[in-house]
Coordinates of all heavy atoms in Angstrom, one line a residue:
M1 N 0.8 -1.2 0.0 CA 0.0 0.0 0.0 C 0.9 1.2 0.0 O 1.8 1.4 0.8 CB -0.9 0.0 1.2 CG -1.5 1.3 1.6 SD -2.5 1.3 3.1 CE -2.2 -0.2 3.9
M2 N 0.7 2.1 -0.9 CA 1.4 3.4 -1.0 C 1.1 4.3 0.2 O 0.0 4.3 0.6 CB 1.1 4.1 -2.3 CG 1.9 5.4 -2.5 SD 1.7 6.2 -4.0 CE -0.1 6.5 -4.1
L3 N 2.1 5.0 0.6 CA 2.0 6.0 1.7 C 2.2 7.4 1.1 O 3.1 7.6 0.3 CB 2.9 5.7 2.8 CG 2.8 4.4 3.6 CD1 3.9 4.3 4.6 CD2 1.4 4.3 4.2
I4 N 1.4 8.3 1.5 CA 1.6 9.7 1.2 C 1.9 10.5 2.4 O 1.2 10.3 3.4 CB 0.3 10.3 0.5 CG1 0.0 9.5 -0.8 CG2 0.5 11.8 0.2 CD1 -1.3 9.8 -1.4
V5 N 3.0 11.2 2.4 CA 3.4 12.0 3.5 C 3.3 13.5 3.1 O 3.9 13.9 2.1 CB 4.9 11.7 3.9 CG1 5.4 12.6 5.1 CG2 5.0 10.2 4.3
T6 N 2.5 14.3 3.8 CA 2.3 15.6 3.4 C 2.0 16.6 4.5 O 1.5 16.1 5.6 CB 1.3 15.7 2.3 OG1 1.3 17.1 1.7 CG2 -0.1 15.4 2.8
G7 N 2.3 17.8 4.4 CA 2.0 18.8 5.4 C 2.9 20.0 5.3 O 3.6 20.2 4.2
Y8 N 3.0 20.7 6.4 CA 3.9 21.9 6.4 C 5.1 21.7 7.3 O 4.9 21.1 8.4 CB 3.1 23.1 6.8 CG 2.0 23.6 5.8 CD1 0.7 23.3 6.0 CD2 2.4 24.2 4.7 CE1 -0.3 23.6 5.1 CE2 1.4 24.6 3.7 CZ 0.1 24.3 4.0 OH -0.8 24.7 3.0
M9 N 6.2 22.3 6.9 CA 7.4 22.4 7.7 C 7.7 23.9 8.0 O 7.6 24.7 7.0 CB 8.6 21.7 7.0 CG 9.8 21.7 7.8 SD 9.8 20.6 9.2 CE 9.6 19.1 8.5
Y10 N 8.0 24.2 9.2 CA 8.3 25.6 9.6 C 9.7 25.7 10.1 O 10.2 24.9 10.9 CB 7.4 26.1 10.7 CG 5.9 26.1 10.3 CD1 5.1 24.9 10.4 CD2 5.3 27.2 9.7 CE1 3.8 24.9 10.0 CE2 4.0 27.2 9.4 CZ 3.2 26.1 9.5 OH 1.9 26.1 9.2
V11 N 10.4 26.8 9.6 CA 11.7 27.1 10.2 C 11.8 28.6 10.3 O 10.9 29.3 9.7 CB 12.9 26.7 9.3 CG1 13.0 25.1 9.2 CG2 12.8 27.2 7.9
E12 N 12.7 29.1 11.1 CA 12.8 30.6 11.2 C 13.1 31.2 9.9 O 13.9 30.7 9.1 CB 14.0 30.9 12.2 CG 13.7 30.7 13.6 CD 12.5 31.6 14.1 OE1 12.5 32.7 13.8 OE2 11.7 31.0 14.9
P13 N 12.4 32.2 9.5 CA 12.5 32.9 8.2 C 14.0 33.2 7.9 O 14.5 33.1 6.8 CB 11.6 34.1 8.2 CG 10.6 33.7 9.2 CD 11.3 32.9 10.2
S14 N 14.7 33.6 8.9 CA 16.1 34.0 8.7 C 17.0 32.8 8.3 O 18.1 33.0 7.8 CB 16.7 34.6 10.0 OG 16.6 33.7 11.1
S15 N 16.5 31.6 8.5 CA 17.3 30.3 8.2 C 16.7 29.6 7.0 O 17.3 28.6 6.6 CB 17.3 29.4 9.4 OG 17.8 29.9 10.6
I16 N 15.7 30.2 6.4 CA 15.0 29.5 5.3 C 15.9 29.1 4.1 O 15.8 28.0 3.6 CB 13.7 30.2 4.8 CG1 12.8 29.3 4.1 CG2 14.1 31.5 4.0 CD1 12.1 28.3 4.9
T17 N 16.8 30.0 3.7 CA 17.7 29.7 2.6 C 18.6 28.6 2.9 O 18.7 27.6 2.1 CB 18.5 31.0 2.2 OG1 17.6 32.0 1.8 CG2 19.4 30.7 1.0
E18 N 19.2 28.6 4.0 CA 20.1 27.5 4.4 C 19.4 26.2 4.6 O 19.8 25.1 4.1 CB 20.8 27.9 5.7 CG 21.8 26.8 6.2 CD 22.5 27.2 7.5 OE1 22.2 28.3 8.0 OE2 23.3 26.4 8.0
F19 N 18.2 26.2 5.2 CA 17.4 25.0 5.3 C 17.0 24.4 4.0 O 17.1 23.2 3.8 CB 16.1 25.4 6.1 CG 15.2 24.2 6.4 CD1 15.4 23.3 7.4 CD2 14.1 24.0 5.6 CE1 14.6 22.2 7.7 CE2 13.3 22.9 5.8 CZ 13.5 22.0 6.9
V20 N 16.5 25.2 3.1 CA 16.1 24.7 1.8 C 17.3 24.1 1.0 O 17.1 23.1 0.4 CB 15.4 25.9 0.9 CG1 15.3 25.5 -0.5 CG2 14.1 26.2 1.5
E21 N 18.4 24.7 1.1 CA 19.6 24.2 0.5 C 20.0 22.8 1.0 O 20.3 21.8 0.3 CB 20.8 25.1 0.6 CG 20.7 26.4 -0.2 CD 21.8 27.4 0.0 OE1 22.7 27.1 0.9 OE2 21.8 28.4 -0.6
D22 N 19.9 22.7 2.4 CA 20.2 21.4 3.0 C 19.1 20.4 2.7 O 19.4 19.2 2.4 CB 20.2 21.6 4.5 CG 21.1 20.6 5.2 OD1 21.8 19.8 4.6 OD2 21.0 20.5 6.5
L23 N 17.8 20.8 2.6 CA 16.7 19.9 2.3 C 16.8 19.4 0.9 O 16.6 18.2 0.5 CB 15.4 20.6 2.5 CG 14.1 19.7 2.3 CD1 14.1 18.5 3.1 CD2 12.9 20.6 2.5
Q24 N 17.3 20.3 0.0 CA 17.5 19.9 -1.4 C 18.5 18.8 -1.6 O 18.3 17.8 -2.4 CB 17.8 21.1 -2.3 CG 16.7 22.0 -2.5 CD 17.1 23.3 -3.3 OE1 18.2 23.7 -3.3 NE2 16.1 23.9 -3.8
K25 N 19.6 18.8 -0.8 CA 20.6 17.8 -0.8 C 20.0 16.5 -0.3 O 20.2 15.4 -0.9 CB 21.8 18.2 0.1 CG 22.6 19.3 -0.5 CD 23.7 19.8 0.5 CE 24.3 21.1 0.0 NZ 25.2 21.6 1.1
L26 N 19.2 16.5 0.8 CA 18.5 15.3 1.3 C 17.6 14.8 0.2 O 17.5 13.6 0.0 CB 17.8 15.6 2.6 CG 17.1 14.4 3.2 CD1 18.0 13.3 3.6 CD2 16.3 14.9 4.4
A27 N 16.9 15.6 -0.5 CA 15.9 15.2 -1.5 C 16.5 14.4 -2.6 O 16.0 13.4 -3.1 CB 15.1 16.4 -2.0
I28 N 17.7 14.9 -3.0 CA 18.4 14.2 -4.1 C 18.7 12.7 -3.7 O 18.4 11.8 -4.5 CB 19.7 14.9 -4.5 CG1 19.4 16.2 -5.2 CG2 20.6 14.1 -5.3 CD1 20.6 17.2 -5.3
T29 N 19.1 12.5 -2.5 CA 19.4 11.2 -2.0 C 18.1 10.4 -1.8 O 18.0 9.2 -2.2 CB 20.2 11.2 -0.7 OG1 21.4 12.0 -0.9 CG2 20.5 9.9 -0.2
A30 N 17.1 11.0 -1.2 CA 15.8 10.4 -0.9 C 15.1 9.9 -2.2 O 14.6 8.8 -2.2 CB 14.9 11.3 -0.1
R31 N 15.2 10.6 -3.2 CA 14.6 10.2 -4.5 C 15.2 9.0 -5.1 O 14.6 8.3 -5.9 CB 14.7 11.4 -5.5 CG 13.8 12.5 -5.1 CD 13.8 13.6 -6.2 NE 13.1 14.8 -5.7 CZ 13.6 16.0 -5.6 NH1 14.9 16.3 -5.9 NH2 12.8 17.0 -5.1
Q32 N 16.4 8.7 -4.7 CA 17.1 7.5 -5.2 C 16.9 6.3 -4.4 O 17.3 5.2 -4.7 CB 18.6 7.8 -5.3 CG 18.9 8.9 -6.3 CD 20.4 9.3 -6.3 OE1 21.2 8.6 -5.8 NE2 20.7 10.5 -6.8
R33 N 16.2 6.4 -3.2 CA 16.0 5.3 -2.3 C 15.0 4.3 -2.9 O 14.0 4.7 -3.5 CB 15.5 5.8 -1.0 CG 16.5 6.6 -0.2 CD 16.1 6.7 1.3 NE 16.6 7.8 1.9 CZ 17.9 8.0 2.2 NH1 18.8 7.1 1.9 NH2 18.3 9.1 2.8
D34 N 15.3 3.0 -2.6 CA 14.3 2.0 -3.0 C 13.0 2.3 -2.3 O 12.9 2.5 -1.1 CB 14.8 0.6 -2.6 CG 13.9 -0.5 -3.0 OD1 13.4 -0.5 -4.1 OD2 13.6 -1.4 -2.1
G35 N 11.9 2.3 -3.1 CA 10.6 2.5 -2.6 C 10.1 4.0 -2.6 O 9.0 4.2 -2.3
N36 N 11.0 4.9 -3.0 CA 10.6 6.3 -3.1 C 9.9 6.5 -4.4 O 10.4 6.2 -5.5 CB 11.7 7.3 -2.9 CG 11.3 8.7 -3.1 OD1 11.4 9.3 -4.1 ND2 10.7 9.2 -2.0
L37 N 8.7 7.1 -4.4 CA 8.0 7.4 -5.6 C 8.0 8.9 -5.9 O 8.0 9.3 -7.1 CB 6.5 7.0 -5.4 CG 6.3 5.5 -5.1 CD1 4.9 5.2 -4.8 CD2 6.9 4.6 -6.2
S38 N 8.1 9.7 -4.9 CA 8.4 11.2 -5.1 C 8.8 11.8 -3.7 O 8.4 11.3 -2.7 CB 7.1 11.9 -5.7 OG 6.1 11.8 -4.7
Y39 N 9.5 12.9 -3.8 CA 10.0 13.5 -2.6 C 10.2 15.0 -3.0 O 11.1 15.4 -3.7 CB 11.3 12.9 -2.2 CG 11.8 13.4 -0.8 CD1 11.6 12.6 0.3 CD2 12.4 14.6 -0.6 CE1 12.0 13.0 1.6 CE2 12.9 15.0 0.6 CZ 12.7 14.2 1.7 OH 13.1 14.5 3.0
D40 N 9.2 15.8 -2.5 CA 9.2 17.2 -3.0 C 8.9 18.2 -1.8 O 8.2 17.8 -0.9 CB 8.2 17.4 -4.1 CG 8.4 16.6 -5.3 OD1 9.4 16.8 -6.0 OD2 7.7 15.6 -5.5
A41 N 9.5 19.4 -2.0 CA 9.2 20.5 -1.0 C 9.1 21.7 -1.8 O 9.8 21.9 -2.8 CB 10.3 20.6 0.0
A42 N 8.1 22.6 -1.4 CA 7.9 23.9 -2.1 C 7.8 25.0 -1.1 O 7.1 24.8 -0.1 CB 6.7 23.8 -3.0
M43 N 8.4 26.1 -1.4 CA 8.2 27.2 -0.5 C 6.8 27.7 -0.6 O 6.3 28.0 -1.7 CB 9.2 28.4 -1.0 CG 9.1 29.6 -0.1 SD 9.8 29.2 1.6 CE 11.5 28.8 1.2
D44 N 6.1 27.8 0.5 CA 4.8 28.2 0.6 C 4.7 29.7 1.0 O 4.0 30.5 0.4 CB 3.9 27.4 1.6 CG 2.5 27.7 1.6 OD1 1.9 27.7 0.5 OD2 2.0 28.1 2.7
D45 N 5.4 30.1 2.1 CA 5.5 31.4 2.6 C 6.8 31.7 3.2 O 7.1 31.4 4.3 CB 4.4 31.6 3.6 CG 4.3 33.1 4.1 OD1 5.2 33.9 3.8 OD2 3.2 33.4 4.7
P46 N 7.7 32.3 2.4 CA 9.1 32.5 3.0 C 9.1 33.5 4.2 O 9.9 33.3 5.1 CB 9.9 33.1 1.8 CG 8.8 33.6 0.9 CD 7.6 32.8 1.1
H47 N 8.1 34.4 4.3 CA 8.1 35.3 5.4 C 7.7 34.6 6.7 O 8.1 35.0 7.8 CB 7.1 36.5 5.1 CG 7.5 37.2 3.9 ND1 8.7 38.0 3.8 CD2 7.0 37.4 2.7 CE1 8.8 38.5 2.7 NE2 7.8 38.2 1.9
A48 N 7.0 33.5 6.6 CA 6.6 32.7 7.7 C 7.5 31.5 7.9 O 7.4 30.8 8.9 CB 5.1 32.2 7.6
G49 N 8.4 31.3 7.0 CA 9.3 30.1 7.0 C 8.6 28.8 6.8 O 8.9 27.8 7.4
R50 N 7.5 28.8 5.9 CA 6.7 27.7 5.8 C 6.9 27.0 4.4 O 6.9 27.7 3.4 CB 5.2 28.0 5.9 CG 4.3 26.9 5.8 CD 2.9 27.2 6.1 NE 2.4 28.2 5.1 CZ 1.6 29.2 5.4 NH1 1.1 29.4 6.7 NH2 1.1 30.0 4.5
L51 N 7.2 25.7 4.4 CA 7.3 24.9 3.2 C 6.2 23.9 3.2 O 5.8 23.3 4.2 CB 8.7 24.2 3.2 CG 9.9 25.1 3.1 CD1 10.4 25.3 4.5 CD2 10.9 24.5 2.2
L52 N 5.8 23.5 2.0 CA 4.9 22.4 1.8 C 5.7 21.2 1.4 O 6.5 21.2 0.5 CB 3.9 22.8 0.6 CG 2.9 21.7 0.2 CD1 2.0 21.3 1.4 CD2 2.1 22.1 -1.0
I53 N 5.4 20.1 2.1 CA 6.2 18.9 1.9 C 5.2 17.8 1.3 O 4.1 17.7 1.8 CB 6.7 18.3 3.3 CG1 7.5 19.4 4.0 CG2 7.4 17.0 3.1 CD1 8.8 19.8 3.3
A54 N 5.7 17.1 0.3 CA 4.9 16.1 -0.3 C 5.8 14.9 -0.7 O 6.7 15.1 -1.5 CB 4.1 16.6 -1.5
E55 N 5.5 13.8 -0.1 CA 6.3 12.6 -0.4 C 5.4 11.4 -0.7 O 4.3 11.4 -0.2 CB 7.2 12.2 0.8 CG 8.1 13.2 1.3 CD 8.8 12.8 2.6 OE1 9.0 11.6 2.9 OE2 9.1 13.7 3.4
R56 N 5.8 10.5 -1.5 CA 5.1 9.2 -1.8 C 6.1 8.1 -1.6 O 7.2 8.1 -2.2 CB 4.4 9.2 -3.1 CG 3.3 10.2 -3.3 CD 2.6 10.1 -4.6 NE 3.5 10.2 -5.7 CZ 3.5 9.5 -6.8 NH1 2.6 8.5 -6.9 NH2 4.4 9.6 -7.8
W57 N 5.7 7.1 -0.9 CA 6.5 5.9 -0.6 C 5.8 4.6 -1.0 O 4.6 4.5 -0.7 CB 7.0 5.9 0.8 CG 7.9 7.0 1.2 CD1 7.5 8.3 1.6 CD2 9.3 7.1 1.0 NE1 8.6 9.1 1.7 CE2 9.7 8.4 1.3 CE3 10.2 6.2 0.5 CZ2 11.0 8.8 1.3 CZ3 11.6 6.6 0.5 CH2 11.9 7.9 0.9
R58 N 6.5 3.6 -1.5 CA 5.8 2.4 -1.9 C 5.1 1.7 -0.7 O 4.0 1.2 -0.9 CB 6.9 1.4 -2.5 CG 6.4 0.1 -2.9 CD 7.5 -0.9 -3.3 NE 8.4 -1.1 -2.2 CZ 9.8 -1.0 -2.3 NH1 10.3 -0.8 -3.5 NH2 10.5 -1.2 -1.3
D59 N 5.8 1.7 0.5 CA 5.2 1.1 1.6 C 5.9 1.6 2.9 O 6.9 2.4 2.8 CB 5.3 -0.5 1.5 CG 6.8 -0.9 1.2 OD1 7.7 -0.3 1.6 OD2 6.9 -2.0 0.6
Q60 N 5.5 1.1 4.0 CA 6.0 1.5 5.3 C 7.5 1.1 5.5 O 8.3 1.9 6.0 CB 5.2 0.9 6.5 CG 5.7 1.4 7.9 CD 5.6 2.9 8.0 OE1 4.5 3.5 7.8 NE2 6.7 3.6 8.4
A61 N 7.9 0.0 4.9 CA 9.3 -0.4 5.0 C 10.2 0.6 4.3 O 11.3 0.9 4.9 CB 9.5 -1.8 4.5
A62 N 9.8 1.0 3.2 CA 10.6 2.0 2.4 C 10.7 3.3 3.2 O 11.8 3.9 3.3 CB 10.1 2.2 1.0
L63 N 9.6 3.8 3.7 CA 9.6 5.0 4.5 C 10.4 4.9 5.8 O 11.2 5.8 6.1 CB 8.1 5.4 4.9 CG 8.0 6.7 5.8 CD1 8.7 7.9 5.2 CD2 6.5 6.9 6.1
T64 N 10.3 3.8 6.5 CA 11.1 3.6 7.7 C 12.6 3.5 7.4 O 13.4 4.1 8.1 CB 10.6 2.2 8.4 OG1 9.3 2.4 8.7 CG2 11.5 1.9 9.6
A65 N 13.0 2.9 6.3 CA 14.4 2.8 5.9 C 14.9 4.3 5.6 O 16.0 4.6 6.0 CB 14.5 2.0 4.6
H66 N 14.1 5.1 5.0 CA 14.5 6.5 4.7 C 14.6 7.3 6.1 O 15.6 8.0 6.3 CB 13.4 7.2 3.9 CG 13.5 8.7 3.9 ND1 14.6 9.4 3.4 CD2 12.7 9.6 4.4 CE1 14.4 10.7 3.5 NE2 13.2 10.8 4.2
L67 N 13.6 7.1 6.9 CA 13.7 7.9 8.2 C 14.9 7.5 9.1 O 15.3 8.3 9.9 CB 12.4 7.7 9.0 CG 11.1 8.3 8.3 CD1 9.9 7.9 9.0 CD2 11.3 9.8 8.1
H68 N 15.3 6.2 8.9 CA 16.4 5.7 9.8 C 17.8 5.8 9.0 O 18.8 5.4 9.6 CB 16.2 4.3 10.2 CG 15.0 4.2 11.2 ND1 15.2 4.6 12.5 CD2 13.8 3.8 11.1 CE1 14.0 4.4 13.1 NE2 13.1 4.0 12.3
S69 N 17.8 6.3 7.8 CA 19.1 6.4 7.1 C 20.0 7.5 7.7 O 19.5 8.4 8.4 CB 18.8 6.7 5.6 OG 18.3 8.0 5.5
S70 N 21.2 7.3 7.6 CA 22.2 8.2 8.2 C 22.0 9.6 7.8 O 22.2 10.5 8.6 CB 23.6 7.7 8.0 OG 23.9 7.7 6.6
D71 N 21.8 9.9 6.5 CA 21.6 11.3 6.1 C 20.4 11.9 6.6 O 20.4 13.1 6.9 CB 21.8 11.4 4.6 CG 20.8 10.6 3.8 OD1 20.2 9.6 4.4 OD2 20.7 10.8 2.6
T72 N 19.3 11.2 6.7 CA 18.0 11.7 7.3 C 18.2 12.0 8.8 O 17.8 13.1 9.2 CB 16.9 10.8 7.0 OG1 16.7 10.5 5.6 CG2 15.6 11.3 7.6
V73 N 18.8 11.1 9.5 CA 19.1 11.3 10.9 C 20.0 12.5 11.1 O 19.8 13.3 12.0 CB 19.7 10.0 11.5 CG1 20.2 10.2 12.9 CG2 18.7 8.8 11.5
A74 N 21.0 12.6 10.3 CA 21.9 13.8 10.4 C 21.2 15.1 10.1 O 21.4 16.1 10.8 CB 23.1 13.6 9.4
F75 N 20.3 15.1 9.1 CA 19.5 16.3 8.8 C 18.6 16.7 10.0 O 18.6 17.9 10.4 CB 18.6 16.0 7.5 CG 17.7 17.2 7.2 CD1 18.2 18.2 6.4 CD2 16.4 17.2 7.6 CE1 17.4 19.3 6.0 CE2 15.6 18.3 7.3 CZ 16.1 19.3 6.5
V76 N 17.9 15.7 10.5 CA 17.1 16.0 11.7 C 18.0 16.5 12.9 O 17.6 17.4 13.6 CB 16.3 14.8 12.1 CG1 15.5 15.0 13.4 CG2 15.3 14.5 11.0
G77 N 19.2 15.9 13.0 CA 20.1 16.4 14.1 C 20.5 17.8 13.9 O 20.6 18.5 14.9
R78 N 20.7 18.2 12.7 CA 21.1 19.6 12.4 C 20.0 20.6 12.6 O 20.2 21.7 13.0 CB 21.6 19.7 11.0 CG 23.0 19.2 10.7 CD 23.6 19.6 9.4 NE 22.8 19.1 8.3 CZ 22.9 17.9 7.7 NH1 23.7 17.0 8.3 NH2 22.1 17.6 6.7
W79 N 18.8 20.2 12.2 CA 17.6 21.1 12.2 C 16.6 20.8 13.2 O 15.6 21.6 13.3 CB 17.0 21.1 10.8 CG 17.9 21.7 9.8 CD1 18.7 21.0 8.9 CD2 18.1 23.1 9.5 NE1 19.4 21.9 8.1 CE2 19.1 23.2 8.5 CE3 17.6 24.2 10.1 CZ2 19.5 24.4 8.0 CZ3 18.0 25.4 9.6 CH2 19.0 25.5 8.6
G80 N 16.7 19.8 13.9 CA 15.6 19.3 14.9 C 15.1 20.4 15.8 O 13.9 20.6 15.9
D81 N 16.0 21.2 16.4 CA 15.5 22.2 17.3 C 15.0 23.5 16.6 O 14.4 24.3 17.2 CB 16.7 22.6 18.2 CG 17.0 21.5 19.2 OD1 16.2 20.7 19.5 OD2 18.2 21.5 19.7
A82 N 15.4 23.6 15.3 CA 15.0 24.8 14.5 C 13.8 24.6 13.6 O 13.4 25.6 13.0 CB 16.2 25.3 13.7
M83 N 13.3 23.4 13.5 CA 12.2 23.2 12.6 C 11.0 22.6 13.4 O 11.2 22.0 14.4 CB 12.6 22.2 11.5 CG 12.9 20.8 11.8 SD 13.3 19.9 10.4 CE 13.7 18.3 11.2
R84 N 9.8 22.8 12.8 CA 8.6 22.3 13.4 C 7.8 21.8 12.2 O 7.7 22.5 11.2 CB 7.9 23.4 14.2 CG 6.5 23.0 14.7 CD 5.9 24.2 15.5 NE 5.7 25.4 14.8 CZ 4.6 25.7 14.0 NH1 3.7 24.8 13.9 NH2 4.5 26.8 13.4
G85 N 7.2 20.7 12.4 CA 6.4 20.1 11.3 C 5.0 19.8 11.7 O 4.7 19.5 12.8
E86 N 4.1 20.0 10.7 CA 2.7 19.6 10.8 C 2.5 18.6 9.6 O 1.9 18.9 8.6 CB 1.8 20.7 10.7 CG 1.9 21.7 11.8 CD 1.0 23.0 11.6 OE1 0.5 23.2 10.5 OE2 1.0 23.8 12.5
I87 N 3.2 17.4 9.7 CA 3.2 16.5 8.6 C 2.5 15.2 9.0 O 2.8 14.7 10.1 CB 4.7 16.2 8.2 CG1 5.3 17.6 7.7 CG2 4.7 15.2 7.1 CD1 6.8 17.5 7.4
L88 N 1.7 14.7 8.2 CA 0.9 13.5 8.4 C 1.2 12.5 7.3 O 1.6 12.8 6.2 CB -0.6 13.8 8.5 CG -1.0 14.7 9.7 CD1 -2.5 15.0 9.5 CD2 -0.7 14.1 11.0
K89 N 0.9 11.2 7.7 CA 1.1 10.1 6.7 C -0.3 9.5 6.4 O -1.1 9.3 7.3 CB 2.0 9.0 7.4 CG 2.1 7.8 6.7 CD 3.1 6.8 7.4 CE 2.6 6.4 8.8 NZ 3.4 5.5 9.5
Y90 N -0.6 9.2 5.1 CA -1.9 8.7 4.7 C -1.6 7.4 3.9 O -0.7 7.3 3.1 CB -2.6 9.7 3.8 CG -2.8 11.0 4.5 CD1 -1.9 12.1 4.4 CD2 -4.0 11.3 5.2 CE1 -2.1 13.3 5.0 CE2 -4.3 12.5 5.8 CZ -3.3 13.5 5.7 OH -3.5 14.7 6.3
D91 N -2.5 6.5 4.1 CA -2.5 5.2 3.3 C -3.3 5.5 2.0 O -4.3 6.1 2.0 CB -3.2 4.1 4.0 CG -2.6 3.8 5.4 OD1 -1.4 3.9 5.5 OD2 -3.3 3.3 6.3
A92 N -2.7 5.1 0.9 CA -3.4 5.2 -0.4 C -3.6 3.8 -1.0 O -2.6 3.1 -1.3 CB -2.5 6.0 -1.3
R93 N -4.8 3.4 -1.1 CA -5.1 2.1 -1.5 C -5.5 2.0 -3.0 O -5.5 1.0 -3.6 CB -6.3 1.5 -0.7 CG -5.8 1.2 0.8 CD -6.9 0.5 1.5 NE -6.4 0.0 2.8 CZ -6.3 0.7 3.9 NH1 -6.6 2.0 3.9 NH2 -5.8 0.2 5.0
R94 N -5.9 3.1 -3.5 CA -6.4 3.1 -4.9 C -5.9 4.4 -5.6 O -6.6 5.4 -5.5 CB -7.9 3.0 -5.0 CG -8.4 2.9 -6.4 CD -10.0 2.6 -6.4 NE -10.4 2.7 -7.7 CZ -11.4 3.5 -8.1 NH1 -12.0 4.3 -7.2 NH2 -11.8 3.6 -9.3
E95 N -4.9 4.3 -6.4 CA -4.3 5.4 -7.1 C -5.0 5.5 -8.5 O -5.2 4.4 -9.1 CB -2.8 5.3 -7.3 CG -2.2 6.5 -8.0 CD -0.7 6.3 -8.0 OE1 -0.1 5.3 -7.7 OE2 0.0 7.3 -8.5
R96 N -5.4 6.7 -8.9 CA -6.0 6.9 -10.2 C -5.8 8.3 -10.7 O -5.5 9.2 -9.9 CB -7.5 6.5 -10.2 CG -8.3 7.3 -9.2 CD -9.7 6.6 -9.0 NE -10.4 7.3 -8.0 CZ -10.3 7.2 -6.6 NH1 -9.3 6.5 -6.2 NH2 -11.0 7.9 -5.8
G97 N -6.1 8.6 -11.9 CA -6.0 9.9 -12.5 C -6.9 10.9 -11.8 O -8.0 10.5 -11.3
L98 N -6.6 12.1 -11.8 CA -7.4 13.2 -11.2 C -8.8 13.2 -11.7 O -9.7 13.4 -10.9 CB -6.7 14.5 -11.4 CG -7.4 15.8 -10.8 CD1 -7.5 15.6 -9.3 CD2 -6.7 17.0 -11.2
M99 N -9.1 13.0 -12.9 CA -10.4 13.1 -13.5 C -11.1 11.8 -13.5 O -12.3 11.7 -13.8 CB -10.4 13.7 -14.9 CG -9.8 15.1 -15.0 SD -10.6 16.3 -13.8 CE -12.1 16.5 -14.7
D100 N -10.4 10.7 -13.1 CA -11.1 9.4 -13.1 C -12.0 9.3 -11.8 O -11.7 9.9 -10.8 CB -10.0 8.3 -13.0 CG -9.1 8.2 -14.2 OD1 -9.5 8.8 -15.2 OD2 -8.1 7.6 -14.1
E101 N -13.0 8.5 -11.9 CA -13.9 8.3 -10.8 C -13.6 7.1 -10.0 O -12.9 6.2 -10.4 CB -15.4 8.3 -11.3 CG -15.8 9.6 -11.8 CD -17.3 9.7 -12.1 OE1 -18.0 9.0 -11.4 OE2 -17.6 10.4 -13.0

């Protein structure tokens, strides 16, 4: 069952450029991981330090492997105290085109 991870990530606006650069490096690696279907972040409001996060993973095992990988752990270690997330995980059982019923 595919998992969708999405929501908002917040960092201090003064750190947003550095955070985005670091997150882009993590994204390059994450997209190459077995079971990653997509891994994206978009600036939503730079003045509030808010980014929109959207990830898709083949299954929980793939997501867990990503979350426990050394580069993800290091990223969280660097930014853990400076970031706050409102990110949730959703199960997707039936994927179809936007206009399909």
Side-chain angles (χ1 to χ4, degrees):
M1 163 183 11
M2 180 176 59
L3 297 177
I4 298 170
V5 176
T6 190
Y8 292 103
M9 180 69 63
Y10 298 87
V11 295
E12 286 297 319
S14 61
S15 300
I16 197 74
T17 301
E18 183 181 357
F19 180 82
V20 168
E21 289 173 0
D22 204 15
L23 181 59
Q24 287 173 339
K25 292 174 190 171
L26 178 63
I28 290 168
T29 303
R31 290 181 186 124
Q32 297 173 17
R33 294 197 203 291
D34 181 45
N36 177 261
L37 305 174
S38 66
Y39 191 99
D40 300 290
M43 183 66 63
D44 184 58
D45 184 347
H47 301 294
R50 184 174 63 218
L51 295 96
L52 176 63
I53 305 296
E55 305 173 24
R56 292 184 306 136
W57 295 91
R58 179 186 59 224
D59 53 28
Q60 184 62 53
L63 176 57
T64 298
H66 163 67
L67 294 174
H68 292 286
S69 68
S70 60
D71 55 345
T72 302
V73 171
F75 178 86
V76 173
R78 284 190 300 278
W79 291 101
D81 292 337
M83 66 180 178
R84 176 177 60 84
E86 296 173 355
I87 299 175
L88 297 173
K89 173 177 62 175
Y90 301 88
D91 299 331
R93 291 186 169 84
R94 184 173 169 237
E95 183 177 8
R96 58 196 177 280
L98 179 62
M99 299 306 287
D100 297 345
E101 292 189 30

